[in-house]
Amino acid sequence: MSNMVEGLLTNAEFRRLWIGQTASQFGTQVALLGMPLVAALYLGASPMQMGLLGFAEYAPFIIFGLLAGVWIDRFQRRPILVAANFFRGALLLIVPLTALTDFLNMKVLYLVAFIVGICTVFF
């Protein structure tokens, strides 16, 4: 068993995948926890607004899921995965930047959540 683990750790492609997935999952979990917390604590969102935020995060799966799967099957997957993760990270930076400039409101969170959801579908 230890030979297999050593073999995986010496494989550069596996290490790259492992590091990339670790960063991706960390960012995803921060977003899943952070956006509702920002809405509730920073913006004082009502239960209805929190429900709409959850809907905005998951609606892209219903709307774009099948179409994205068909479209992605026609191209190489690695560039799409990298681009989707890059855009998710860039979009999530909008939340603290708008909070620092006092432009953060629920509409911004809805929009960011929806577009991050689209990127997650394509990921």
Side-chain angles (χ1 to χ4, degrees):
M1 181 71 179
S2 66
N3 289 338
M4 183 185 296
V5 172
E6 289 172 3
L8 286 175
L9 294 178
T10 58
N11 186 334
E13 290 292 319
F14 178 76
R15 279 196 320 262
R16 197 174 305 138
L17 172 70
W18 192 11
I19 291 168
Q21 277 300 108
T22 301
S24 174
Q25 288 301 315
F26 180 75
T28 299
Q29 296 307 314
V30 166
L32 286 175
L33 179 66
M35 295 247 286
L37 279 175
V38 166
L41 300 176
Y42 186 77
L43 297 174
S46 69
M48 178 68 170
Q49 289 172 321
M50 295 295 287
L52 288 174
L53 182 62
F55 176 75
E57 289 176 348
Y58 293 107
F61 288 92
I62 298 168
I63 298 168
F64 300 110
L66 291 173
L67 298 173
V70 170
W71 186 74
I72 287 173
D73 279 344
R74 298 175 185 206
F75 300 101
Q76 290 184 357
R77 287 171 182 83
R78 180 185 248 172
I80 295 171
L81 292 172
V82 171
N85 262 343
F86 175 77
F87 286 124
R88 281 195 300 187
L91 285 165
L92 289 173
L93 284 175
I94 291 173
V95 175
L97 291 176
T98 55
L100 287 174
T101 58
D102 291 330
F103 287 114
L104 183 62
N105 57 32
M106 286 305 293
K107 291 177 187 173
V108 171
L109 279 183
Y110 295 148
L111 184 64
V112 169
F114 187 76
I115 298 173
V116 166
I118 292 171
C119 291
T120 302
V121 167
F122 279 90
F123 182 79

